[in-house]
Amino acid sequence: MGQLTSKHALPGVRFSTNEEGPPRYSSHHFDGSSQQQGGNLQIPPTIVVSDMDSSASEHRDSQLALRRSSFYSTLDLVPQLEHYASTLPHHQARSRPSLGALRKAFEEVEAGTDVTTTTTDSGVSSLTVTDNGNEESQAPPNEKAPVRFGWVTGVMVRCMLNIWGVILFLRLSWITSQAGILLTCLIILMSVMVTSVTALSISAIATNGRVISGGAYFMISRSLGPEIGGPIGMVFSFANALACALNTVGFAEVVRDLLQEFGVVMVDAVNDVRIVGVITVTILLLISLAGMEWESKAQILFFLVLMVSFSNYLVGTVIPPSPEKQAQGIFGYRSEILIANLKPDWRGAGANFFQMFAIFFPSAIGILSGANISGDLKDPASAIPKGTLMAIFWTTFSHLVIVITVGACVVRDASGNVTDILTGNITEGCVGLGCNLGWNFTECIQSQSCEYGLANNPKVLGQISGFNYLITAGVIAASLSSALGFLVSAPKVFQCLCRDNIYPYIGFFAKGYGKNDEPLRAYLLCYIIAVAFILIAELDTIAALISNFFLCSYSLINFSCFHASITNSPGWRPSFHYYSKWTALFGALISVVLMFLFTWWAALTTFCIIFFLFGYVNYNKPKVNWGSSVQAGTYNMALSYSVSLSGVEDHVKNFRPQCLVLTGPPNQRPALVDFVGSFTKHISLMICGDVITGQDSQTRPQDATDWLVKWMNKRKVRSFYTPFTADSLRVGARHLLQASGLGKLKPNTLVLGFKANWRESSPESIEDYINTIYDTFDSNHCLCILRMMDGLDISDQFDFEVNQGFEPDDSVENDDQQSPERGSAGDISDKGSSDQIKTVFQNDQGKKTIDVYWIADDGGLTLLVPYLLTRRKRWHHSKVRVFIVGDEHNMEEGRNEMMALLRRFRLDFNDVIVMTDSEKRPHPKNLNRFVDSVAPFRLYDEQQEGVSVQELRQSTPWKITDKEFEAFKLKAERKVRLNEIIRRNSQNAALVLVSLPVPHSDCPSALYMAWLDTLTCGLHCPTVLIRGNQQNVLTFYCQ
C-alpha cells in the first residue's frame, strides 16, 4: 500500500479508510488515504457521513447518515439538504466541491496522487452559517430541547384568544342594537374580509422559505427590504406594547366594577384601575419570564375558561327567562324580537355605520399573534396558514352566533322594573316591542332613561347566561389572554428588529436567554411601556393609534405579497397557493382606506411616524441583503427600461459621455475614478474596466470583485466594475469596448491614464498602449487621457515617486513665477490606515480656472466635459476659459465668433482667449528636450553605412526612421510650442483640457507617445487630453 499526498484538498473534511469498509466522511478534517492494489488506485463508490440533524438531536446524540456520491466521482456528491442549509440558522452548511477542485481531483487521481492533506484556494472549505442567533443552536445531549408549538396551541388558540377580547363581551351587543343584526353581520364580514385577505398573504409569505422569529416585521422586512420593514418593526412592537396596556386596563375596569358591586373601593375609580392594572401586568410579566411553556399553559387555561363562558351563554339563551330577566328585556328566542332587531336604530351624536365598524374592528387585530412567535413554532410554514385561517373561521362563526342569538332574545329598551308587567290585554298607550310581550316600558322609552336592554346595558351577555359570573370570568380570560399575547409578541418582534442593527442604540435588547432564546431585556422594556400607559390612563386617543398601527401592518403585509408576486422573481415560490396578487393589492388598499375612515388624524400620525423612520433607514442604508422583492422590482424596471430604450434613436440633445475607464483595480487609481465620476455621477454611465493579464489572473483573489465594488460604494462612486482577462491591454480594451454595457447603455468614450513610464517601458508595451488608442478611434469612440503630476497608480503601498517626465522646467516665458502648491492623488488622509485615498478631485476647487484648449473641432466633447464638471458643487465656482487658435489680424473677430457659438450652446463660458503666437517656433531648449526624449527610439538609419533600412526595421520595427522623424518634424514642433503656451497660461489652473491630436496611420507609436508626453509635461495640475468622435454632442437647436 502506498500513500501519496497532493496540495489540492478539501479543507475541513477527512477521509479515512480501512480494510473492512468504505471511507468515513467527517465534517472537521479531510485526510486522504486510499488503497492501491496492483498499481491501481481504488476509489470506493460511497461515502459515509457523521452528522447531527437538528430535529434528531432532541432524542439522540448522533447518527450516521449515508451520503452517496455521484457515479461521476466520489467527490461529486448527489443533491442533499446540507448543501442548501445556508438559510437554516445554526446549521452546518457543507459546501460542494468547486469546479476547480473537481477538475484537479480528476487530474491528480489519473496521475496516481491522492487528494488529501493541504489546501488551496480552489478547494472547498466547510462553512458554518448562522442567522444572528434567531433560532436555537443544537442543544447538548444533557440539555432539554427548546419548547416548540404546533399549529393548534401555537397559532390557532393564540389567535382566537386575541380576537376574543373585551369587545366581544362588552361591545358587540351594543353594536347590534345600534346597527341591527344585518349591518352588524356585514361589519363582521367586512372585518373578516380584510383579515382573511391578510391571512392569505401571511400564509403565502410564511410558506415562501423558512420563517424565523420576528413575525410581521420579519415577513415585511424580508419582502420589502429594511427601509419599509424597519419602520414597521418599530411601530408594530410599540403597538403591541400599547395593546397590552389597553387590554390590561380593560381587565382592571372589570375588576373595579366587580369590587364596587361588593362595596370595595381602594382609593377611587381611576386609581383603582391603575393599581389593579400594574399588579396584573406585573403578574403577566412573571408568567412571560417563566418561559414560553408556562405562557402557553396560561393561554390554554384562558381558552378553557372562554369555552365554558361561551357554553354558559348559549345554555342561558334556551333557559326560559324569569320575570326579573324579562323586566331587563330578555325574553328568549322570539321571532318578533329578531325581526325588530334586524334594522339599525342609530342613537347618539355621530352614530353611523363606520363608527360601529371602527369600534368593532380592533377585535380583529389578533390574527398576527401566531405569526409573531414564529420562532417558537415547530413548522411555521405549515402552522401559520392553518392556525390563522382556522382561528378566523371559528371566531367569525362565534361572533355571528352571538349577534344573531342576542338579537333574537333581547329587546333594545327595558326598565328592569318588574312592576311594568302588563295585566290583562290592555295595551292602549303602550310604546315599544315589549307591549307585544306583556311588558310596558313606555315610560323609560319616552324619557330615554332605560337602563336595560341591548341599547343600554353592555353586560347583557352576562344577564342572558345561565350563571352571570362565568361571563365575568370570560371577560377576564379574554382581556388577560390578549394582554399576555401582546406582552409576548412585542418583545419577540423587537428582538428580531434589534438583531438586524437597522436602528442605533437598541442592540442591547437583542440578547436572548435560555433554550428558547427568550428576550428578557425586551420583556422588561415592554413592561415599562405598558405600565407607563396604564398609569397615564388616557388611552382613548392611543386606542385609535393602535388600530391604525395594526392596519398599517396589514396593508404592508398585503402589499409585500402583491409586490413579490408582481415582480415575477424566481425566488417567489410559496407552497401556499390559495392567494391572489390582486386580492392582496385590494387588502392593502382597503386597509389604508379604513385607516382614514376610522380616525383620519391617527392615520396621518401613523404615516408621519413611518415616513420619519423610513427616512432614517433610507439615509443610513444598513448593510443587509435579504433578497427583497424591491430588489427584484428594481431589476425588472431596469430591464424593462433598458429594452424600451433600445428602440429609441440617438439624439444629440440626449448625448451623455458614457465612459469605459481602464482603471485596473479602481482602488489603485482613485484619481482616475474620481475624475470620471465628477462628470458622470447621476448623469451617465461609468464602467471601471480592469484588464487582467498574465500571472495576475492566477494570483487574483476570488473575492476581489466584491471588495472592489464595496470600495467604490464606500467612496460613493456610481460605477460598474468589470474585470476582463486578456493577453494584453489592447485585446482587453477592444473586447470591453465591444461587449460591455447593455443596449443603449454602452460606452461611447474610453478613458485612460497617461502612460508616465513610457520611456522605461518595453517597445511592446508602448505599442500595446498606442494601439489601444488607435482601436478607440477606429471603433468611432471618444477618448480621454488623464495625466497627474504624481502619476495615477498608488499600488506600491501608497509610496509615491514623482514621475521623471514631470520635472518642472525653468525655460518657460514666465519662469520667474513661483509654482503653486501641488495637489494630486497622493493627498492622503490617515495614510496607511485606510484604503480611501483623497484626491484633488474631491477637494473644493474654489475660484480656480478650468482651461480648455479647443484646438480641433471634435463635435463639442471638449466643451461638454468641463460644463458637466461645473455643475458639481466642488467645481461650481470655477471659471472656464476657452483658448482657441487665431492670428493677430483677425483676433477680435475670431473671439466674437467663438463667444457667439458658446452663447448659442448655452454653456455660460464667457472668457475666450485667442492664441496668436501658436505659429512661433518653440524654445530651443524645449525642442532639444523633445528630441532627446525620442532619441532612444530612433533608428538613425542614415548614419549607418552598409546596412539597409529594411534590415534595421526587421530587427527593431518599433523605432523611428530618419525619414519619418523629418516628415513629422513640423507637427512635433507645434506640440512643443503648444506646451509652452499651456504652461505659460495655466500654471495655476485647477484642470487643463487639451484637444488630443488624432494620430496618422503611419505615425510611429513611440513618436506619438512623445507628442502626448510633450503636450502635457511640466504642468502641476491634472491635464486631460480629450477627443470626440467628430460627431456633434452639442447643439443650439431645440429639435
Side-chain angles (χ1 to χ4, degrees):
M1 179 184 294
Q3 181 173 342
L4 300 175
T5 61
S6 167
K7 66 179 181 178
H8 300 290
L10 302 178
V13 183
R14 179 178 64 239
F15 276 124
S16 62
T17 63
N18 51 46
E19 300 291 340
E20 288 79 22
R24 295 190 177 274
Y25 182 108
S26 171
S27 62
H28 301 291
H29 303 285
F30 188 33
D31 300 326
S33 59
S34 57
Q35 300 178 21
Q36 193 170 5
Q37 299 175 353
N40 296 324
L41 187 67
Q42 304 296 320
I43 302 177
T46 60
I47 301 173
V48 177
V49 180
S50 175
D51 190 17
M52 178 75 70
D53 185 80
S54 61
S55 60
S57 65
E58 298 179 3
H59 60 271
R60 64 177 180 268
D61 295 341
S62 63
Q63 70 173 16
L64 292 178
L66 183 65
R67 299 182 73 185
R68 290 196 173 275
S69 60
S70 163
F71 55 79
Y72 295 131
S73 165
T74 54
L75 295 182
D76 201 3
L77 301 177
V78 297
Q80 34 196 315
L81 175 65
E82 289 85 350
H83 293 159
Y84 300 89
S86 61
T87 57
L88 299 180
H90 291 284
H91 279 60
Q92 189 174 30
R94 296 179 180 85
S95 300
R96 306 171 190 84
S98 67
L99 293 175
L102 291 174
R103 293 183 66 243
K104 292 180 180 179
F106 293 156
E107 294 169 359
E108 291 169 358
V109 166
E110 291 176 359
T113 61
D114 185 18
V115 185
T116 48
T117 54
T118 57
T119 47
T120 64
D121 292 336
S122 63
V124 180
S125 55
S126 177
L127 176 65
T128 299
V129 180
T130 62
D131 195 350
N132 298 330
N134 284 331
E135 191 169 304
E136 80 284 352
S137 59
Q138 294 178 357
N142 58 349
E143 185 178 335
K144 190 176 179 181
V147 178
R148 291 290 179 263
F149 305 109
W151 70 273
V152 176
T153 57
V155 182
M156 187 183 76
V157 171
R158 192 175 297 274
C159 289
M160 291 174 70
L161 287 172
N162 277 271
I163 295 173
W164 284 332
V166 178
I167 291 175
L168 173 67
F169 291 97
L170 301 182
R171 289 290 183 269
L172 190 56
S173 59
W174 177 75
I175 294 173
T176 304
S177 73
Q178 292 273 344
I181 295 175
L182 294 179
L183 289 184
T184 303
C185 290
L186 179 62
I187 288 173
I188 294 173
L189 293 177
M190 288 179 64
S191 301
V192 169
M193 178 186 63
V194 176
T195 56
S196 298
V197 169
T198 306
L200 294 177
S201 299
I202 291 173
S203 301
I205 298 173
T207 57
N208 188 53
R210 180 68 177 261
V211 177
I212 57 175
S213 62
Y217 159 70
F218 183 87
M219 295 180 188
I220 296 173
S221 62
R222 270 55 178 180
S223 296
L224 294 180
E227 292 84 2
I228 300 296
I232 283 298
M234 189 72 75
V235 168
F236 192 66
S237 302
F238 187 65
N240 275 274
L242 295 188
C244 174
L246 277 178
N247 283 274
T248 304
V249 168
F251 164 78
E253 289 178 349
V254 173
V255 173
R256 178 200 61 188
D257 295 342
L258 192 62
L259 291 175
Q260 287 178 350
E261 290 181 11
F262 292 95
V264 178
V265 177
M266 289 179 284
V267 181
D268 54 46
V270 175
N271 287 309
D272 285 359
V273 171
R274 291 171 176 168
I275 293 171
V276 175
V278 172
I279 294 174
T280 303
V281 78
T282 303
I283 295 174
L284 294 179
L285 174 67
L286 295 177
I287 294 175
S288 301
L289 294 179
M292 289 298 296
E293 190 172 5
W294 283 93
E295 187 268 348
S296 179
K297 291 177 180 178
Q299 295 284 30
I300 295 297
L301 176 62
F302 293 143
F303 184 76
L304 294 176
V305 172
L306 278 170
M307 290 295 101
V308 173
S309 180
F310 281 136
S311 301
N312 174 53
Y313 164 75
L314 293 175
V315 170
T317 59
V318 297
I319 296 176
S322 63
E324 289 78 8
K325 284 192 175 183
Q326 289 183 357
Q328 295 172 354
I330 302 169
F331 294 94
Y333 292 107
R334 297 292 184 95
S335 59
E336 55 265 45
I337 297 178
L338 177 65
I339 294 172
N341 287 333
L342 286 177
K343 297 180 180 179
D345 181 17
W346 307 113
R347 300 183 184 184
N352 55 53
F353 177 82
F354 283 106
Q355 185 188 31
M356 298 301 111
F357 196 179
I359 292 172
F360 174 79
F361 188 81
S363 66
I365 63 178
I367 64 169
L368 295 176
S369 300
N372 287 338
I373 63 161
S374 54
D376 296 296
L377 301 176
K378 292 179 181 178
D379 184 9
S382 173
I384 291 175
K386 287 194 294 185
T388 305
L389 293 174
M390 288 300 293
I392 292 175
F393 173 78
W394 287 116
T395 53
T396 303
F397 178 76
S398 64
H399 282 123
L400 292 175
V401 167
I402 290 176
V403 168
I404 295 172
T405 55
V406 77
C409 295
V410 187
V411 296
R412 282 189 169 99
D413 296 294
S415 64
N417 190 351
V418 293
T419 62
D420 288 338
I421 189 171
L422 289 174
T423 57
N425 295 323
I426 302 174
T427 59
E428 185 178 352
C430 185
V431 178
L433 183 60
C435 301
N436 300 329
L437 302 173
W439 289 82
N440 186 1
F441 301 131
T442 304
E443 183 179 351
C444 77
I445 291 175
Q446 290 179 344
S447 63
Q448 298 183 355
S449 60
C450 297
E451 296 180 359
Y452 294 92
L454 282 179
N456 307 298
N457 188 3
K459 300 179 181 179
V460 69
L461 293 186
Q463 296 169 349
I464 297 176
S465 63
F467 185 62
N468 189 10
Y469 289 109
L470 281 179
I471 294 296
T472 303
V475 175
I476 292 173
S479 57
L480 286 181
S481 63
S482 297
L484 182 58
F486 289 123
L487 182 61
V488 170
S489 298
K492 294 282 186 182
V493 174
F494 192 63
Q495 182 189 36
C496 185
L497 174 66
C498 295
R499 283 177 169 169
D500 288 337
N501 293 320
I502 294 178
Y503 294 104
Y505 313 121
I506 61 174
F508 173 79
F509 300 100
K511 184 174 177 57
Y513 296 86
K515 59 189 178 183
N516 271 64
D517 195 31
E518 296 290 348
L520 301 186
R521 297 175 179 177
Y523 276 134
L524 294 175
L525 177 63
C526 180
Y527 169 76
I528 293 171
I529 294 174
V531 168
F533 282 93
I534 289 171
L535 293 177
I536 292 172
E538 293 291 337
L539 297 177
D540 291 339
T541 301
I542 303 300
L545 276 176
I546 291 175
S547 296
N548 275 271
F549 286 167
F550 279 98
L551 274 171
C552 187
S553 301
Y554 291 174
S555 176
L556 285 173
I557 288 174
N558 283 300
F559 184 74
S560 299
C561 181
F562 167 76
H563 195 266
S565 303
I566 204 71
T567 53
N568 295 322
S569 173
W572 176 249
R573 302 185 302 274
S575 56
F576 182 85
H577 301 293
Y578 304 103
Y579 76 96
S580 169
K581 58 187 176 184
W582 303 116
T583 58
L585 179 61
F586 171 77
L589 295 176
I590 199 65
S591 297
V592 174
V593 171
L594 290 177
M595 289 175 66
F596 285 93
L597 287 178
F598 289 171
T599 319
W600 65 267
W601 61 264
L604 290 178
T605 304
T606 302
F607 279 110
C608 288
I609 295 173
I610 294 294
F611 285 138
F612 173 77
L613 295 173
F614 168 82
Y616 174 83
V617 179
N618 191 54
Y619 175 79
N620 200 43
K621 298 191 184 304
K623 297 179 180 179
V624 293
N625 183 11
W626 294 327
S628 67
S629 61
V630 174
Q631 296 173 343
T634 303
Y635 174 85
N636 283 351
M637 290 175 60
L639 186 62
S640 176
Y641 289 150
S642 298
V643 172
S644 62
L645 193 62
S646 299
V648 178
E649 293 291 334
D650 292 332
H651 195 282
V652 62
K653 288 199 301 182
N654 292 325
F655 176 86
R656 300 163 187 259
Q658 300 183 152
C659 299
L660 171 63
V661 193
L662 297 186
T663 59
N667 64 337
Q668 293 186 9
R669 294 174 179 84
L672 192 58
V673 174
D674 292 340
F675 165 66
V676 180
S678 297
F679 64 86
T680 60
K681 189 174 184 180
H682 302 297
I683 295 175
S684 61
L685 175 70
M686 176 180 173
I687 301 176
C688 290
D690 183 3
V691 179
I692 306 169
T693 59
Q695 189 64 26
D696 293 342
S697 60
Q698 303 296 327
T699 59
R700 176 184 170 85
Q702 292 184 353
D703 61 344
T705 298
D706 293 335
W707 58 258
L708 286 173
V709 171
K710 290 178 181 178
W711 180 89
M712 290 192 296
N713 291 337
K714 184 178 180 181
R715 204 174 182 86
K716 298 182 180 180
V717 175
R718 295 175 64 93
S719 172
F720 298 99
Y721 170 71
T722 304
F724 189 86
T725 303
D727 295 334
S728 65
L729 172 69
R730 179 186 186 183
V731 173
R734 185 168 62 228
H735 285 91
L736 283 173
L737 280 174
Q738 294 177 13
S740 59
L742 184 68
K744 294 290 184 180
L745 300 176
K746 294 180 69 67
N748 54 29
T749 304
L750 180 68
V751 182
L752 295 168
F754 182 75
K755 189 175 179 60
N757 62 343
W758 69 279
R759 293 186 181 87
E760 294 78 26
S761 300
S762 63
E764 293 81 5
S765 176
I766 299 175
E767 288 283 334
D768 196 40
Y769 182 83
I770 298 302
N771 284 331
T772 302
I773 297 176
Y774 292 171
D775 293 341
T776 303
F777 289 130
D778 291 342
S779 59
N780 204 34
H781 284 73
C782 308
L783 179 65
C784 290
I785 301 176
L786 174 65
R787 182 171 187 175
M788 302 288 293
M789 179 63 183
D790 296 332
L792 291 168
D793 198 332
I794 62 168
S795 59
D796 297 332
Q797 297 182 356
F798 311 135
D799 293 328
F800 299 94
E801 296 182 2
V802 177
N803 193 308
Q804 297 303 314
F806 295 132
E807 72 276 9
D809 189 1
D810 56 0
S811 60
V812 195
E813 281 88 333
N814 59 345
D815 53 357
D816 58 337
Q817 184 176 357
Q818 186 176 358
S819 299
E821 185 178 354
R822 294 179 291 180
S824 71
D827 298 332
I828 302 174
S829 58
D830 298 328
K831 184 174 181 179
S833 62
S834 172
D835 59 348
Q836 293 293 337
I837 307 302
K838 190 173 183 181
T839 68
V840 67
F841 298 105
Q842 293 179 315
N843 298 330
D844 191 338
Q845 304 301 320
K847 295 186 177 181
K848 293 183 179 180
T849 62
I850 300 176
D851 291 349
V852 180
Y853 290 84
W854 200 14
I855 308 301
D857 188 355
D858 58 353
L861 183 66
T862 308
L863 295 178
L864 181 62
V865 169
Y867 167 73
L868 295 176
L869 282 174
T870 56
R871 293 172 60 177
R872 297 296 176 193
K873 183 179 180 180
R874 294 187 178 97
W875 298 83
H876 186 66
H877 298 290
S878 298
K879 180 181 178 182
V880 179
R881 300 190 300 176
V882 180
F883 293 80
I884 60 173
V885 177
D887 54 63
E888 294 183 4
H889 302 291
N890 301 318
M891 180 178 66
E892 199 62 32
E893 181 181 351
R895 183 179 182 277
N896 293 335
E897 288 180 358
M898 180 56 62
M899 289 289 293
L901 180 62
L902 295 178
R903 279 195 297 269
R904 299 191 71 175
F905 283 151
R906 307 172 305 282
L907 294 176
D908 197 24
F909 298 168
N910 299 317
D911 197 351
V912 176
I913 300 172
V914 181
M915 299 180 292
T916 59
D917 54 351
S918 58
E919 298 295 330
K920 293 183 179 179
R921 285 186 56 82
H923 194 281
K925 183 177 181 180
N926 294 328
L927 188 59
N928 292 335
R929 187 176 63 175
F930 166 76
V931 174
D932 294 340
S933 67
V934 298
F937 301 93
R938 292 185 61 182
L939 193 61
Y940 295 109
D941 49 297
E942 296 182 357
Q943 300 178 13
Q944 300 185 34
E945 299 179 357
V947 182
S948 65
V949 177
Q950 288 75 13
E951 292 177 353
L952 292 174
R953 290 301 298 268
Q954 287 179 357
S955 59
T956 54
W958 58 84
K959 288 196 173 183
I960 308 168
T961 64
D962 292 343
K963 185 177 181 180
E964 290 172 336
F965 186 77
E966 288 298 324
F968 292 104
K969 184 176 181 180
L970 181 60
K971 294 181 181 295
E973 291 181 357
R974 289 179 177 175
K975 308 298 186 298
V976 176
R977 178 56 187 164
L978 180 58
N979 174 255
E980 292 178 352
I981 297 174
I982 295 173
R983 285 191 291 166
R984 181 184 64 207
N985 294 293
S986 304
Q987 277 293 347
N988 298 319
L991 179 68
V992 174
L993 294 96
V994 185
S995 294
L996 177 72
V998 177
H1000 291 187
S1001 57
D1002 56 347
C1003 180
S1005 298
L1007 182 59
Y1008 185 68
M1009 194 71 233
W1011 288 356
L1012 303 184
D1013 186 20
T1014 300
L1015 275 174
T1016 56
C1017 72
L1019 293 173
H1020 304 310
C1021 62
T1023 307
V1024 180
L1025 295 168
I1026 184 170
R1027 187 75 185 208
N1029 61 355
Q1030 303 302 107
Q1031 297 178 4
N1032 289 346
V1033 301
L1034 295 173
T1035 181
F1036 42 78
Y1037 294 107
C1038 62
Q1039 62 182 18

